[in-house]
Amino acid sequence: MRACLGLKYVPRGWREVKVTLIPNPGKSDYTDPKSYRPISLTSFLLKTMERMCERELRGSALMNLPLHDKQHTYSLGKSTESALHQVITKIEGAIQNKEMCLGSFIDIEGAFDRMNFSSIKGAFSRHKVEPAPIDWIVYMLSTRIIKIAGESQPIQIKKWLLAFLNLDSLTFSVEYGHQ
């Protein structure tokens, strides 16, 4: 595994992701890919390498230049519930102090799909991540082979698509959640 990281290489068998598409209930148009939830099966060796990269990033780069303190995704001890608690506490405080409170919420549709390799490489570089894990992650993402159940031909992913990775939240958070 150290050689894979050092050589920035992922064996073909590790890059093959088997995907089963589960229909989302209540959708009116099942010709739309967003009407399905992908369930993926990835090599445990790839998952191990992802975990190694994740631990390295948490233990070094994110310690030196942490994510924004309001970032709840991919932050230890934080979750959707802690984000909601923070918002509710602000609202309750404003009500109690007879102050006004304004909230603005956004949902970036397809946010993971809109990231590109150069922006992620730049974000990791700003966090002072060593080049080897950055290059390994980019190689792994750019050479994945997706095999969809029931389809005869595998798909080579040519754009940024993070939905099948353990590193998805981390890479997104590093890109958009820095201080």
Side-chain angles (χ1 to χ4, degrees), residues 1 13-14 32 34 38 44 62-63 69 92 98 116 158:
M1 287 198 195
W14 297 13
D32 182 359
K34 293 179 184 177
F44 79 93
L62 293 179
M63 297 294 270
D69 65 341
E92 288 174 340
K98 299 186 185 325
N116 61 52
K158 295 294 185 187

Side-chain angles (χ1 to χ4, degrees), residues 4-163:
C4 288
L5 189 60
L7 296 171
K8 302 160 192 103
Y9 176 73
V10 183
R12 180 180 173 88
W14 297 13
R15 291 182 273 139
E16 292 181 358
V17 179
K18 294 178 180 90
V19 177
T20 300
L21 300 174
I22 308 294
N24 286 326
K27 297 291 184 176
S28 59
D29 180 12
Y30 286 100
T31 61
D32 182 359
K34 293 179 184 177
S35 296
Y36 295 88
R37 174 172 295 130
I39 305 297
S40 62
L41 180 61
T42 306
S43 165
F44 79 93
L45 293 169
L46 180 66
K47 296 280 190 201
T48 302
M49 284 293 294
E50 286 181 8
R51 293 282 185 214
M52 288 171 56
C53 287
E54 174 190 9
R55 285 193 180 134
E56 172 63 26
L57 294 171
R58 276 187 188 238
S60 61
L62 293 179
M63 297 294 270
N64 299 331
L65 183 61
L67 298 174
H68 193 280
D69 65 341
K70 301 290 189 223
Q71 177 76 29
H72 286 262
T73 302
Y74 206 79
S75 297
L76 288 175
K78 294 184 179 181
S79 63
T80 303
E81 290 82 11
S82 67
L84 287 171
H85 177 71
Q86 189 175 39
V87 169
I88 290 169
T89 300
K90 286 273 192 193
I91 294 169
E92 288 174 340
I95 292 170
Q96 189 174 34
N97 295 326
K98 299 186 185 325
E99 298 173 341
M100 295 190 66
C101 182
L102 173 66
S104 176
F105 305 89
I106 63 169
D107 179 17
I108 303 170
E109 185 178 337
F112 289 130
D113 297 341
R114 288 174 169 71
M115 292 189 300
N116 61 52
F117 297 123
S118 62
S119 66
I120 292 298
K121 285 179 89 166
F124 278 136
S125 294
R126 283 191 303 278
H127 279 269
K128 305 209 181 331
V129 176
E130 295 291 323
I134 298 171
D135 293 339
W136 183 84
I137 290 168
V138 168
Y139 179 81
M140 184 252 312
L141 291 172
S142 64
T143 61
R144 279 175 304 161
I145 300 161
I146 309 298
K147 293 184 175 182
I148 298 177
E151 297 294 322
S152 59
Q153 295 296 317
I155 301 168
Q156 180 82 34
I157 300 298
K158 295 294 185 187
K159 63 182 274 191
W160 191 257
L161 181 68
L162 293 168

